[in-house]
Amino acid sequence: MTLDGPDFSVETEVRLLRWDDIVAEDMEMPLWQRLPRYLLAAGDIILTGTFGRYVAAYWRYGLFAAYPLVLLVLFGLAGILASSLPGVFGLALPWPVRLFIALGTFLGLTALAGPRLHLTYMLADWIFARDMMRQWRPGIDARAEAFAREIAAGLADPAFDEVVIVAHSLGAAWMADAVARALAADPSLVSSGRPLGLVGAGSSTLKIALHPAAGWLREAVQRVADAPGITWAEYDSHVDFICFYKNDTPTALGLTVVHPPLRRSIRLSRMLSPATWQRFRGNLLRIHRQYVMGNEQRYLYDVHMIACGPFRFADIARRGEDLPGALGSDGSLAAATTPLPSITDMPDR
């Protein structure tokens, strides 16, 4: 991918580290399998105190975590109400019939809510999360190893001036794990002078790492945050219920690290025109996805400028306020009102 400006040109190689196919396995699971597995996951998260830790870290995330269970409880109550209605009108039904009505109502509402209220996605998401927390699914471990090899290959390639990993939501947990694995295999990986940038956009690393069984991820966070030569920044927003607002991951986990991530709270609405923002401001999942979608106006956070622009990620992370004016109105570096060092200013290695 090439980005050309009036006085610069940047070549970017984009590599997708995909894991959507693993979650798709849970999405494709029939309801009669998905529902009990979700209930086991929900019980695990509640009984281990993980849900309480979510609320303590950011109460709005607690609302997000509780959402699917609350829906199921409401559907269960609706089923009980539906089975009781004939009795209100003097029609006594045998208990097997009432049970059939209650279950039918519950399952019908659950099926209808799947696509409309994102319930299918939410049930699958928590099933996957529990498997990841407890390292129960071999495919997750194998994929993380593949990611680690891909990251190591990118850092070892002299063709690149910089390697930046952009991880969104739960992808931030994958990023920490994969980078830690790469560092464990080769501790000198980031000491060659080639910058490594880590972007945790709307990070949900704590979703996994706050579970007692996720010591492996807490160790990964420790390893990454102790390594030199890494710029790690976490971006969150107060309107995003699916991130851990105002939490940097190591501190929230009680870790003492050498290089804590930079934490940047941003206003997602500033990335867009007022008309665009108004169209989806009530859609929590769409808001959460905005971190990795395009800007309509210049702002201190711009994922495409991070990934493809002419500036080093370390400068964007530390001097984000200067990013809107880092290119002139004509798109040139020369006309910048708040200049940032460009990639071309990086010393040769």
Side-chain angles (χ1 to χ4, degrees):
M1 180 183 298
T2 303
L3 176 65
D4 290 321
D7 53 1
F8 68 87
S9 181
V10 180
E11 292 278 349
T12 301
E13 182 174 315
V14 178
R15 301 183 184 182
L16 295 179
L17 304 182
R18 298 183 59 172
W19 50 280
D20 54 297
D21 57 308
I22 300 178
V23 180
E25 297 172 7
D26 301 317
M27 294 281 288
E28 294 165 2
M29 194 183 301
L31 182 60
W32 64 269
Q33 288 182 334
R34 189 187 314 123
L35 190 56
R37 287 194 60 188
Y38 164 75
L39 292 174
L40 287 172
D44 185 338
I45 289 163
I46 293 169
L47 294 175
T48 57
T50 305
F51 179 77
R53 287 186 281 276
Y54 291 160
V55 175
Y58 184 43
W59 67 271
R60 286 184 172 182
Y61 193 87
L63 297 179
F64 165 73
Y67 171 78
L69 188 58
V70 169
L71 273 185
L72 292 176
V73 169
L74 291 175
F75 295 161
L77 292 174
I80 294 171
L81 178 62
S83 67
S84 303
L85 280 178
V88 173
F89 296 101
L91 180 60
L93 297 176
W95 72 264
V97 176
R98 294 199 305 274
L99 179 61
F100 178 80
I101 293 173
L103 285 175
T105 302
F106 171 77
L107 293 174
L109 288 172
T110 301
L112 286 173
R116 295 173 183 269
L117 301 179
H118 307 293
L119 188 58
T120 299
Y121 162 77
M122 299 285 271
L123 299 185
D125 180 54
W126 286 103
I127 292 169
F128 169 83
R130 187 196 189 204
D131 284 352
M132 190 176 194
M133 292 165 181
R134 294 190 173 276
Q135 295 183 296
W136 279 351
R137 199 179 306 191
I140 296 175
D141 185 72
R143 190 64 54 87
E145 283 291 340
F147 289 171
R149 291 192 296 271
E150 187 77 19
I151 292 166
L155 285 166
D157 192 332
F160 301 128
D161 297 305
E162 179 181 41
V163 174
V164 180
I165 304 170
V166 179
H168 175 244
S169 194
L170 197 53
W174 284 92
M175 177 178 71
D177 184 25
V179 172
R181 289 171 186 251
L183 290 171
D186 181 3
S188 66
L189 197 61
V190 290
S191 62
S192 64
R194 182 170 295 105
L196 172 61
L198 306 181
V199 182
S203 171
S204 292
T205 302
L206 294 177
K207 174 178 185 171
I208 306 298
L210 286 173
H211 192 282
W216 59 273
L217 183 53
R218 293 188 289 275
E219 292 173 5
V221 169
Q222 181 85 54
R223 184 185 295 275
V224 173
D226 283 347
I230 297 176
T231 299
W232 183 4
E234 296 188 316
Y235 294 88
D236 58 41
S237 178
H238 72 290
V239 296
D240 179 16
F241 283 42
I242 312 177
C243 74
F244 287 86
Y245 178 56
K246 287 192 174 180
N247 281 272
D248 79 73
T249 297
T251 301
L253 295 174
L255 303 176
T256 301
V257 299
V258 179
H259 307 289
L262 302 168
R263 192 191 61 76
R264 302 287 256 162
S265 291
I266 62 175
R267 291 187 175 273
L268 295 171
S269 59
R270 301 281 177 86
M271 299 168 63
L272 303 167
S273 69
T276 300
W277 180 252
Q278 286 297 327
R279 282 205 303 270
F280 63 77
R281 64 177 301 175
N283 186 330
L284 296 183
L285 287 177
R286 175 60 182 83
I287 288 172
H288 185 56
R289 289 195 293 267
Q290 183 55 42
Y291 296 97
V292 288
M293 302 188 77
N295 285 40
E296 290 183 330
Q297 52 195 24
R298 297 189 183 195
Y299 185 50
L300 61 85
Y301 174 82
D302 186 325
V303 70
H304 295 98
M305 192 64 76
I306 289 171
C308 306
F311 310 112
R312 293 174 289 191
F313 173 62
D315 293 317
I316 294 175
R318 293 186 173 90
R319 296 175 53 191
E321 292 78 6
D322 292 335
L323 185 60
L327 294 177
S329 58
D330 62 351
S332 71
L333 293 169
T337 56
T338 51
L340 288 174
S342 71
I343 291 289
T344 57
D345 298 328
M346 295 176 67
D348 293 333
R349 289 178 302 279

